[in-house]
Amino acid sequence: MRKKRGLFFKNPVFVSGMLGFAGIILFSVGCAAPNAQKRIAAFSTALSIATTNTTDAFETVDQKFYCTKVALLVNNYDEKGFNPNTEMHFLAGQDLETREQLFKGLQRYAQKLADIISDTRMKEFDAETKAFGKSLQKLRENDAFKNINSGASQANINAFVTAVDVVGCFFIDYKREKGVREIVADMKQPIESICNTLVSDIGQPMDKAGAGGFGLRNQSWIQYEVMLKEHISYIDHHKDKFDPVTKAEAIARLPAIVEEQYKADLTLKATQDALKKLRMTHDELVKAFDKTCPTLENLIAELIDEGKRIGKFYKSLAKE
């Protein structure tokens, strides 16, 4: 039997075939890793754009709220004067900071996936990352965090709290025991829950009867309604004092406010859609190691392209 085995492995045709097969396997593995690394890095970029736009959405609505309050102050100052205790912002500092911390958590999660796949020597995260994970978990202790999902069912609230806790644990407890594919699979539900909560947080505008609105989109819609009303009042109070050019400019501002109202709402909806697509893209991320994954690559490309368009609108409003 030994003699036959020796002859068997000395067979040049067999040895050549085995080496060729091994070469194919090594080539496939070698190609998969760089492709996966590239795809995960692209996902990190797409996620960063989506979460940055979501941050801008909240900051933009808050800034418009402030502008509306200033317009009210100007129009009513002679009768009511100025009360320094008037709330001039829609979101308190902690409300914005809490959401920004959540967005940073998502961004850092995606970046760490890219780091893990690119650095095979990484055994655990650094102290700063672990500290960030702990700060993420502590968000549950503040009222601003509770307000994010206040209108949801108790089951959804619990799922959201658990999801943020899981992301925090990822930063704190990570050890190189699982590959990126396994990590992404484990994080599927937490990322879905966080994205769903943020979509709900943006909400929807009221209907024509003035009912059914909630969240950021509703607040944005109301602000433009108030802004329009105040601008009409401003024109009515000063129309006899305006010169023709100033009067024309003031009147021309009215349809511009209405147009901006619709554009702002469409952009907020697009921000919601991007968060939904982000959730779908993360679900597909387990396929990053496949030889081909057109769905994942298309979703990432769409997220980046749409994100850039959304970002331009928020930047244009910030300049006003």
CSV table of all heavy atoms in Angstrom, one decimal, residues 24-52:
chain,number,residue,atom,x,y,z
A,24,ILE,N,-5.9,28.1,-7.5
A,24,ILE,CA,-7.2,28.8,-7.8
A,24,ILE,C,-7.8,29.2,-6.4
A,24,ILE,O,-8.3,30.3,-6.3
A,24,ILE,CB,-8.2,27.8,-8.5
A,24,ILE,CG1,-7.7,27.6,-9.9
A,24,ILE,CG2,-9.6,28.4,-8.5
A,24,ILE,CD1,-8.4,26.5,-10.7
A,25,ILE,N,-7.7,28.4,-5.4
A,25,ILE,CA,-8.3,28.7,-4.1
A,25,ILE,C,-7.6,29.9,-3.5
A,25,ILE,O,-8.2,30.8,-3.0
A,25,ILE,CB,-8.2,27.5,-3.1
A,25,ILE,CG1,-9.1,26.4,-3.6
A,25,ILE,CG2,-8.5,27.9,-1.7
A,25,ILE,CD1,-9.0,25.1,-2.8
A,26,LEU,N,-6.2,29.9,-3.6
A,26,LEU,CA,-5.5,31.0,-3.0
A,26,LEU,C,-5.8,32.3,-3.7
A,26,LEU,O,-5.9,33.4,-3.1
A,26,LEU,CB,-4.0,30.7,-3.1
A,26,LEU,CG,-3.5,29.6,-2.1
A,26,LEU,CD1,-2.0,29.2,-2.4
A,26,LEU,CD2,-3.6,30.0,-0.7
A,27,PHE,N,-5.9,32.2,-5.1
A,27,PHE,CA,-6.2,33.4,-5.9
A,27,PHE,C,-7.6,34.0,-5.5
A,27,PHE,O,-7.7,35.2,-5.3
A,27,PHE,CB,-6.2,33.0,-7.3
A,27,PHE,CG,-6.5,34.2,-8.2
A,27,PHE,CD1,-5.6,35.2,-8.5
A,27,PHE,CD2,-7.8,34.3,-8.8
A,27,PHE,CE1,-5.9,36.2,-9.3
A,27,PHE,CE2,-8.1,35.3,-9.6
A,27,PHE,CZ,-7.2,36.3,-9.9
A,28,SER,N,-8.5,33.0,-5.3
A,28,SER,CA,-9.9,33.5,-4.9
A,28,SER,C,-9.9,34.2,-3.6
A,28,SER,O,-10.5,35.2,-3.4
A,28,SER,CB,-10.9,32.3,-4.9
A,28,SER,OG,-10.9,31.7,-6.2
A,29,VAL,N,-9.2,33.6,-2.6
A,29,VAL,CA,-9.2,34.2,-1.3
A,29,VAL,C,-8.4,35.5,-1.3
A,29,VAL,O,-8.8,36.5,-0.7
A,29,VAL,CB,-8.5,33.2,-0.3
A,29,VAL,CG1,-8.2,33.9,1.1
A,29,VAL,CG2,-9.3,31.9,-0.1
A,30,GLY,N,-7.4,35.5,-2.1
A,30,GLY,CA,-6.6,36.8,-2.2
A,30,GLY,C,-7.4,37.9,-2.8
A,30,GLY,O,-7.2,39.0,-2.4
A,31,CYS,N,-8.2,37.5,-3.8
A,31,CYS,CA,-9.0,38.6,-4.4
A,31,CYS,C,-10.2,39.0,-3.5
A,31,CYS,O,-10.6,40.2,-3.5
A,31,CYS,CB,-9.6,38.0,-5.7
A,31,CYS,SG,-8.4,37.9,-7.0
A,32,ALA,N,-10.7,38.0,-2.7
A,32,ALA,CA,-11.9,38.4,-1.9
A,32,ALA,C,-11.6,39.4,-0.8
A,32,ALA,O,-12.3,40.3,-0.6
A,32,ALA,CB,-12.4,37.1,-1.2
A,33,ALA,N,-10.4,39.2,-0.2
A,33,ALA,CA,-10.0,40.1,0.9
A,33,ALA,C,-9.9,41.6,0.5
A,33,ALA,O,-10.5,42.5,1.1
A,33,ALA,CB,-8.8,39.7,1.6
A,34,PRO,N,-9.2,41.9,-0.6
A,34,PRO,CA,-9.1,43.3,-1.1
A,34,PRO,C,-10.5,43.8,-1.5
A,34,PRO,O,-10.8,45.0,-1.2
A,34,PRO,CB,-8.1,43.2,-2.2
A,34,PRO,CG,-7.3,42.0,-2.0
A,34,PRO,CD,-8.2,41.0,-1.4
A,35,ASN,N,-11.3,43.0,-2.1
A,35,ASN,CA,-12.6,43.5,-2.6
A,35,ASN,C,-13.5,43.8,-1.3
A,35,ASN,O,-14.2,44.8,-1.3
A,35,ASN,CB,-13.3,42.4,-3.4
A,35,ASN,CG,-12.7,42.3,-4.8
A,35,ASN,OD1,-12.1,43.3,-5.3
A,35,ASN,ND2,-12.9,41.2,-5.5
A,36,ALA,N,-13.4,42.9,-0.3
A,36,ALA,CA,-14.2,43.1,0.9
A,36,ALA,C,-13.7,44.4,1.6
A,36,ALA,O,-14.5,45.2,2.1
A,36,ALA,CB,-14.1,41.9,1.8
A,37,GLN,N,-12.4,44.6,1.6
A,37,GLN,CA,-11.9,45.7,2.3
A,37,GLN,C,-12.3,47.0,1.6
A,37,GLN,O,-12.7,48.0,2.2
A,37,GLN,CB,-10.3,45.7,2.3
A,37,GLN,CG,-9.6,46.8,3.0
A,37,GLN,CD,-8.1,46.6,3.1
A,37,GLN,OE1,-7.7,45.4,2.9
A,37,GLN,NE2,-7.4,47.6,3.3
A,38,LYS,N,-12.3,47.0,0.3
A,38,LYS,CA,-12.8,48.1,-0.5
A,38,LYS,C,-14.3,48.4,-0.3
A,38,LYS,O,-14.7,49.6,-0.1
A,38,LYS,CB,-12.5,47.9,-2.0
A,38,LYS,CG,-12.9,49.0,-2.9
A,38,LYS,CD,-12.5,48.7,-4.4
A,38,LYS,CE,-13.0,49.8,-5.3
A,38,LYS,NZ,-12.7,49.4,-6.7
A,39,ARG,N,-15.1,47.3,-0.3
A,39,ARG,CA,-16.5,47.5,-0.1
A,39,ARG,C,-16.9,48.0,1.3
A,39,ARG,O,-17.7,48.9,1.4
A,39,ARG,CB,-17.2,46.2,-0.4
A,39,ARG,CG,-17.2,45.7,-1.8
A,39,ARG,CD,-17.5,44.3,-2.0
A,39,ARG,NE,-17.4,43.8,-3.4
A,39,ARG,CZ,-17.2,42.6,-3.7
A,39,ARG,NH1,-17.1,41.6,-2.8
A,39,ARG,NH2,-17.1,42.2,-5.0
A,40,ILE,N,-16.2,47.5,2.3
A,40,ILE,CA,-16.5,48.0,3.6
A,40,ILE,C,-16.0,49.4,3.9
A,40,ILE,O,-16.7,50.2,4.5
A,40,ILE,CB,-15.8,47.0,4.7
A,40,ILE,CG1,-16.6,45.7,4.6
A,40,ILE,CG2,-15.8,47.6,6.1
A,40,ILE,CD1,-15.9,44.5,5.4
A,41,ALA,N,-14.9,49.8,3.2
A,41,ALA,CA,-14.5,51.2,3.3
A,41,ALA,C,-15.5,52.1,2.6
A,41,ALA,O,-15.8,53.2,3.1
A,41,ALA,CB,-13.1,51.3,2.7
A,42,ALA,N,-16.0,51.6,1.5
A,42,ALA,CA,-17.0,52.4,0.8
A,42,ALA,C,-18.3,52.5,1.6
A,42,ALA,O,-18.9,53.6,1.7
A,42,ALA,CB,-17.3,51.8,-0.6
A,43,PHE,N,-18.7,51.4,2.3
A,43,PHE,CA,-19.8,51.5,3.2
A,43,PHE,C,-19.6,52.5,4.3
A,43,PHE,O,-20.5,53.2,4.7
A,43,PHE,CB,-20.1,50.1,3.8
A,43,PHE,CG,-21.1,50.1,4.9
A,43,PHE,CD1,-22.5,50.2,4.6
A,43,PHE,CD2,-20.7,50.0,6.2
A,43,PHE,CE1,-23.4,50.2,5.6
A,43,PHE,CE2,-21.7,50.0,7.3
A,43,PHE,CZ,-23.0,50.1,7.0
A,44,SER,N,-18.4,52.5,4.9
A,44,SER,CA,-18.1,53.5,5.9
A,44,SER,C,-18.3,54.9,5.4
A,44,SER,O,-18.8,55.8,6.1
A,44,SER,CB,-16.7,53.2,6.4
A,44,SER,OG,-16.3,54.2,7.4
A,45,THR,N,-17.8,55.2,4.2
A,45,THR,CA,-18.0,56.5,3.6
A,45,THR,C,-19.5,56.8,3.4
A,45,THR,O,-19.9,57.9,3.8
A,45,THR,CB,-17.3,56.5,2.2
A,45,THR,OG1,-15.9,56.3,2.4
A,45,THR,CG2,-17.5,57.9,1.6
A,46,ALA,N,-20.2,55.9,2.9
A,46,ALA,CA,-21.7,56.1,2.7
A,46,ALA,C,-22.4,56.4,4.0
A,46,ALA,O,-23.2,57.3,4.1
A,46,ALA,CB,-22.3,54.9,2.0
A,47,LEU,N,-22.0,55.6,5.0
A,47,LEU,CA,-22.7,55.8,6.3
A,47,LEU,C,-22.3,57.1,6.9
A,47,LEU,O,-23.2,57.8,7.5
A,47,LEU,CB,-22.3,54.6,7.3
A,47,LEU,CG,-22.9,54.6,8.6
A,47,LEU,CD1,-23.1,53.2,9.1
A,47,LEU,CD2,-22.1,55.4,9.7
A,48,SER,N,-21.1,57.5,6.7
A,48,SER,CA,-20.7,58.8,7.3
A,48,SER,C,-21.5,60.0,6.6
A,48,SER,O,-21.9,60.9,7.3
A,48,SER,CB,-19.2,59.0,7.0
A,48,SER,OG,-18.7,60.3,7.5
A,49,ILE,N,-21.7,59.9,5.3
A,49,ILE,CA,-22.4,60.9,4.6
A,49,ILE,C,-23.9,60.9,5.1
A,49,ILE,O,-24.4,62.0,5.3
A,49,ILE,CB,-22.4,60.7,3.1
A,49,ILE,CG1,-20.9,60.9,2.5
A,49,ILE,CG2,-23.3,61.6,2.3
A,49,ILE,CD1,-20.8,60.5,1.1
A,50,ALA,N,-24.5,59.8,5.2
A,50,ALA,CA,-25.9,59.7,5.6
A,50,ALA,C,-26.1,60.2,7.0
A,50,ALA,O,-27.0,61.0,7.3
A,50,ALA,CB,-26.4,58.2,5.6
A,51,THR,N,-25.2,59.9,8.0
A,51,THR,CA,-25.4,60.4,9.3
A,51,THR,C,-25.0,61.8,9.5
A,51,THR,O,-25.6,62.5,10.3
A,51,THR,CB,-24.5,59.5,10.3
A,51,THR,OG1,-23.2,59.5,9.8
A,51,THR,CG2,-25.1,58.1,10.4
A,52,THR,N,-24.1,62.3,8.7
A,52,THR,CA,-23.7,63.7,8.7
A,52,THR,C,-24.9,64.5,8.2
A,52,THR,O,-25.3,65.6,8.8
A,52,THR,CB,-22.5,64.0,7.8
A,52,THR,OG1,-21.4,63.4,8.3
A,52,THR,CG2,-22.2,65.5,7.7
